[in-house]
Amino acid sequence: MEQKLVVSLSPHAKAPFRIQTVMLIVILALFPALIASIYFFGIRALLVELVAVGTAVFTEWFIQRILLKRPSRIHDLSAVVAGLLLAFNLPSSIPLWQVAAGAIFAVGIAKMAFGGLGTNPFNPALAGRAFMLVSFPVEMTTWPQPVVTRTLMRPDALTTATPLGVIKEGLKSGIPLDQLADKLPTWWDLFLGNVGGSLGETSALALLVGGLFLILTRVISWRIPVFYLGTLAAFTGVFHLIDPSRYADPLFHILSGGVMLGAFFMATDLVTSPMTAPGQILYAIGGGLLAGLIRLFGSYPEGCSYSILIMNAFVPLIDRAFPPVRFGARPVQTQVKEARHG
């Protein structure tokens, strides 16, 4: 008998969602940020996103069908999510062949080389972004100005710095924050997304709408985004109170850069985040601290991507320290209470 029928004892647990359903909900949650990226950066943003998604899906199909001779599983839509999240981490001026190279690395190396969906230790989109940042540093840190560069061609002529980049470079030159105020966007521009940056990370409003949708549909838990952003706010807030001329306020850090995208859509990756509530809280606090440390004391203005990738590496240890309760078993705390009361 070539095929084995596996039979197990009851009770059997059934998940409320299939993988395809979960991925479809995530794609729907990303739509507000997708629309915002096209509004602020034009049709070329859509072109970058289509190339990233198309290359990610083709790479997964090619590896499964051509190299491994297995049935294709592109219908689970996980490659679409990986490609879209990778595109959201890129500037609109990035050459399209570099987008394709990043998508191939994200799916081919960071996902399929480890066995595919469910076995990858690192978030594929963030791994692809880290690969592109090392391979194409100039193109990955050239930020077109929003609105005025809404064109199908590469908008090389009008570029700007990200809000975090303005602060980092200003402080390096010895300029205090109050003298940089005219170069920084308003909180309203930060909230709407009318600032330089990667395609899907600039609009805090769009990401908040999508993130709340994921929480309300119970695709993700509120713990990771709340503790990640809360830790970053608390950490940067302490230093802002100590020296406001050097350290920006917590709200600026929450609305700037990629922390909203990372907290709601990438740190919550079901494969690369802890399984239990205590583990998720520890993981999120570690990520928020790392993001704050990199932003305030590192040479790189943004710290979200690397904070999540580093915490991804700790997930096996966190899951071992906070293992899930076996189905049907009583929690250890309950057993201890019962023993104390006879």
Side-chain angles (χ1 to χ4, degrees):
M1 179 181 288
E2 295 181 355
Q3 294 183 342
K4 296 180 179 179
L5 177 63
V6 179
V7 180
S8 61
L9 297 174
S10 61
H12 300 287
K14 182 180 179 182
F17 297 127
R18 299 172 58 193
I19 294 176
Q20 188 182 46
T21 307
V22 170
M23 296 299 167
L24 185 59
I25 292 174
V26 174
I27 293 170
L28 291 175
L30 288 169
F31 251 83
L34 175 71
I35 294 171
S37 70
I38 297 172
Y39 174 78
F40 287 113
F41 299 103
I43 198 66
R44 197 167 197 288
L46 180 61
L47 192 58
V48 170
E49 289 151 355
L50 288 175
V51 170
V53 171
T55 306
V57 173
F58 176 78
T59 301
E60 183 163 308
W61 174 87
F62 183 83
I63 292 175
Q64 291 174 336
R65 289 290 296 164
I66 306 301
L67 297 183
L68 301 179
K69 309 296 183 185
R70 295 175 180 173
S72 170
R73 296 191 59 82
I74 59 173
H75 59 275
D76 66 18
L77 301 179
S78 61
V80 175
V81 173
L84 195 53
L85 286 175
L86 174 65
F88 278 11
N89 282 277
L90 306 177
S92 63
S93 59
I94 189 87
L96 297 180
W97 71 269
Q98 294 180 4
V99 178
I104 292 172
F105 183 91
V107 174
I109 304 299
K111 181 181 177 184
M112 298 307 298
F114 290 95
L117 181 65
T119 56
N120 51 294
F122 299 100
N123 183 287
L126 288 179
R129 184 182 190 273
F131 161 76
M132 295 182 70
L133 197 58
V134 173
S135 304
F136 320 115
V138 176
E139 292 83 355
M140 284 290 289
T141 53
T142 301
W143 313 105
Q145 290 185 19
V147 181
V148 296
T149 57
R150 289 187 290 200
T151 172
L152 183 62
M153 304 303 291
R154 288 183 59 194
D156 291 334
L158 298 172
T159 60
T160 184
T162 64
L164 292 170
V166 170
I167 291 181
K168 183 68 72 175
E169 293 303 317
L171 293 176
K172 282 183 179 178
S173 304
I175 305 174
L177 280 182
D178 54 351
Q179 296 183 22
L180 294 172
D182 58 337
K183 297 180 181 179
L184 293 174
T186 64
W187 283 358
W188 186 242
D189 282 337
L190 285 173
F191 184 65
L192 293 180
N194 189 21
V195 295
S198 297
L199 293 177
E201 71 178 23
T202 58
S203 177
L205 172 61
L207 294 168
L208 193 59
V209 171
L212 291 176
F213 176 67
L214 289 181
I215 293 175
L216 292 175
T217 53
R218 298 189 177 183
V219 168
I220 67 170
S221 164
W222 59 270
R223 299 182 191 90
I224 291 179
V226 167
F227 278 92
Y228 183 96
L229 296 174
T231 302
L232 176 64
F235 182 80
T236 54
V238 169
F239 285 92
H240 176 68
L241 290 174
I242 295 172
D243 187 358
S245 68
R246 183 170 180 81
Y247 301 105
D249 61 81
L251 185 58
F252 179 87
H253 280 283
I254 295 298
L255 297 178
S256 302
V259 291
M260 294 285 282
L261 177 64
F264 284 108
F265 291 96
M266 291 186 285
T268 54
D269 182 358
L270 299 178
V271 177
T272 58
S273 61
M275 292 182 286
T276 63
Q280 291 172 359
I281 292 171
L282 178 62
Y283 164 86
I285 291 174
L289 281 175
L290 285 171
L293 282 169
I294 295 172
R295 283 188 173 189
L296 298 188
F297 305 108
S299 58
Y300 189 58
E302 175 61 278
C304 178
S305 300
Y306 290 108
S307 72
I308 296 173
L309 286 173
I310 292 171
M311 291 310 297
N312 285 164
F314 283 100
V315 167
L317 293 177
I318 296 174
D319 280 337
R320 184 173 298 179
F322 301 98
V325 177
R326 183 163 49 87
F327 187 76
R330 291 169 299 174
V332 175
Q333 294 84 350
T334 303
Q335 296 180 32
V336 172
K337 290 181 180 177
E338 290 177 353
R340 289 176 177 173
H341 293 84

